[in-house]
Amino acid sequence: MDNSLLQRRAYGALAGLAIGDAMGMPTQSMSPDRIRAEYGVKAIRTFVDASPNQPIAPSMPAGSITDDTEQALLLANQLIAGHGELDIHRYAQSLLDWESAMRAKGSLDLLGPSTKNALALFKAGVDVATTGIAGTTNGGAMRSCPIGIADRPNPHLAEIARRSSVVTHNTEQGIESTMLIAATVSYALDGAEARERCCWMQLCDCLSAMNRFEGRIIGHWTPKASVIARTRWAINWAQEHAGEHAGDIYDHDMFADQLRAVIGTSVEANESVPAAFAIATRYAERPFDAICVAANLGGDTDTIAAMVGAMLGAAHGVQAFPESLVHTVQEVNGLDLAGTADALLRVNERLQA
């Protein structure tokens, strides 16, 4: 593959992640009615300041990223420093250090519930093999995009995704969701055709196999629904409302209403990850529309929009998003996403050598 194309796609994955995160920031944890009451009836299609009534990020400036992008870049730095390998203990400590720094700045947008509980146990000296056994939320998935840039969709990627999940999301749902996002990004970077890049069903089948080592499912069992099974269902459902003329019979609002009703948009991995795949399926050729739909959904909007942006950014490249937003999200947050993407691709090259 042309190296410049690969660079644009890797840059696009990180830019899509950050743009989706920043667009979903003002609406996170809010209902659709509350979003309209605070920001108006017209859908949000650019960066806006968070309302003073925003429950997690009150009055946060337009274009600001949240923990989704910050923790993804933290993981990226760990992968770069480790030449593609991941030291679980160092990674856990880096998350704790990040939380301390955010708390010192007065931020309310800190660790998610699973990560927070797990890291408290880690800090107390509990074995990392058991700290994440209750983590079924999407914290592992939201930060896994860099794994997909640094590695091919192979057993090594699966192992790094698993290791990145162990300390905080060591459950079937946590590990499945982390592998799904990481491998989707990795497949999309290498895809030659748009339809091939967005063939989510093939990916789900592949991940079902990748998620098994020595004949057993990785991660602790919980009674919650499988992320892979629900994602497969969500893709099938969304495909009924995809295509060139889908909007003629099923507009954005109708799609969003049904998605909330039958899939859900909570922080649980088995809702937010299938929701992200459903949006990516319907809007596979319209990446920016996909992010906008996600940002206006209600619920865990910043994470869903970030995952959608990462997957479709990897498939289409950075040019899929408005240049002004790519510039603004980096300027506001002091990011060098192209530089990080290039460093992760160099890790990928070394791993494949």
Side-chain angles (χ1 to χ4, degrees), residues 8-268:
R8 288 196 300 273
R9 289 180 180 173
Y11 184 16
L14 293 180
L17 168 74
I19 291 169
D21 184 18
M23 283 191 62
M25 174 275 292
T27 60
Q28 60 183 313
S29 299
M30 298 170 75
S31 70
D33 288 343
R34 181 94 177 269
I35 291 169
R36 286 189 287 269
E38 294 294 336
Y39 303 107
V41 296
K42 192 172 182 180
I44 293 173
R45 291 188 62 84
T46 189
F47 298 142
V48 300
D49 294 331
S51 161
N53 299 316
Q54 218 299 317
I56 296 177
S59 302
M60 204 165 182
S64 298
I65 57 172
T66 77
D67 60 326
D68 297 67
T69 305
E70 290 185 353
Q71 291 184 32
L73 294 177
L74 184 153
L75 176 55
N77 290 335
Q78 292 285 309
L79 293 171
I80 293 164
H83 306 292
E85 303 300 333
L86 186 66
D87 183 299
I88 296 175
H89 292 83
R90 288 181 182 174
Y91 179 46
Q93 187 60 53
S94 70
L95 287 168
L96 281 172
D97 292 344
W98 172 83
E99 183 189 32
S100 296
M102 292 298 102
R103 195 179 299 280
K105 292 196 301 186
S107 175
L108 297 177
D109 194 13
L110 299 172
L111 300 170
S114 296
T115 300
K116 186 176 183 65
N117 293 337
L119 290 179
L121 293 172
F122 172 78
K123 192 174 182 179
V126 176
D127 187 342
V128 293
T130 61
T131 53
I133 61 174
T136 59
T137 54
N138 55 26
M142 76 180 192
R143 54 189 182 236
S144 67
C145 169
I147 300 173
I149 301 174
D151 215 334
R152 298 288 177 84
N154 57 26
H156 186 265
L157 177 148
E159 174 59 15
I160 296 301
R162 184 193 70 80
R163 290 181 67 80
S164 77
S165 304
V166 164
V167 68
T168 58
H169 295 81
N170 192 7
T171 61
E172 292 179 9
Q173 291 78 12
I175 293 174
E176 284 179 353
S177 60
T178 303
M179 288 184 176
L180 274 171
I181 299 298
T184 301
V185 169
S186 186
Y187 272 115
L189 291 180
D190 285 340
E193 300 294 335
R195 296 299 179 187
E196 177 187 340
R197 294 199 302 270
C198 298
C199 187
W200 313 122
M201 281 302 295
Q202 181 180 355
L203 175 66
C204 285
D205 291 339
C206 176
L207 264 292
S208 294
M210 287 175 65
N211 200 30
R212 293 176 185 271
F213 285 83
E214 299 177 359
R216 63 181 178 82
I217 293 287
I218 295 172
H220 285 258
W221 179 87
T222 80
K224 296 183 179 180
S226 162
V227 176
I228 288 177
R230 293 201 75 203
T231 297
R232 186 178 289 110
W233 183 91
I235 290 165
N236 277 330
W237 173 79
Q239 283 176 332
E240 299 173 6
H241 312 297
E244 183 179 353
H245 302 295
D248 297 338
I249 58 174
Y250 213 68
D251 66 20
H252 297 324
D253 290 338
M254 292 172 64
F255 179 77
D257 285 344
Q258 287 298 303
L259 187 152
R260 285 188 293 267
V262 302
I263 297 175
T265 61
S266 77
V267 299
E268 286 294 329

Side-chain angles (χ1 to χ4, degrees), residues 321-343:
F321 308 113
E323 186 176 354
S324 61
L325 297 187
V326 175
H327 172 76
T328 298
V329 77
Q330 294 183 90
E331 184 177 44
V332 168
N333 299 284
L335 306 177
D336 177 13
L337 298 178
T340 301
D342 287 347

